[in-house]
């Protein structure tokens, strides 16, 4: 679910950025300023979503690498109880 949220935040950020760049003109109309402000706010919300979800996903990957390295690698850290439980010699 967090991966989906991260992908969605990135996709919406780039979509809002595209519309911001395409529609950018020097104008002082109230509707235009409100539209651009809403695009900027949407992009900032997406940045916050990426900042929240990215560290959690990276931390989970790191924990999985440590488990695989410690449990099944030739250079693993010896744990006698784990070895006995799973029959690793």
């Amino acid at each position: 679910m967090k991966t989906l949220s991260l992908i969605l935040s990135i996709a919406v950020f780039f979509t809002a950025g595209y519309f911001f760049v395409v529609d950018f003109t020097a104008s002082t109309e109230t509707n235009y300023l409100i539209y651009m402000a809403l695009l900027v706010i949407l992009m900032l919300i997406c940045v916050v979503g990426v900042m929240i979800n990215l560290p959690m996903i990276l931390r989970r990957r790191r924990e999985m690498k440590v488990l695989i390295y410690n449990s099944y690698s030739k250079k693993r850290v010896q744990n006698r109880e784990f070895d006995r439980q799973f029959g690793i010699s």
Side-chain angles (χ1 to χ4, degrees), residues 4-61:
L4 178 65
S5 176
L6 178 68
I7 292 169
L8 189 63
S9 291
I10 292 171
V12 171
F13 177 80
F14 283 115
T15 304
Y18 170 76
F19 283 111
F20 183 81
V21 170
V22 168
D23 296 337
F24 189 76
T25 59
S27 178
T28 57
E29 290 182 22
T30 306
N31 289 337
Y32 176 77
L33 293 177
I34 292 171
Y35 172 68
M36 287 305 205
L38 287 173
L39 282 176
V40 169
I41 291 169
L42 180 61
M43 290 171 67
L44 291 174
I45 290 170
C46 291
V47 167
V48 170
V50 169
M51 289 172 53
I52 288 172
N53 290 318
L54 192 61
M56 290 181 188
I57 291 173
L58 292 177
R59 186 175 341 134
R60 178 174 267 173
R61 280 190 180 172

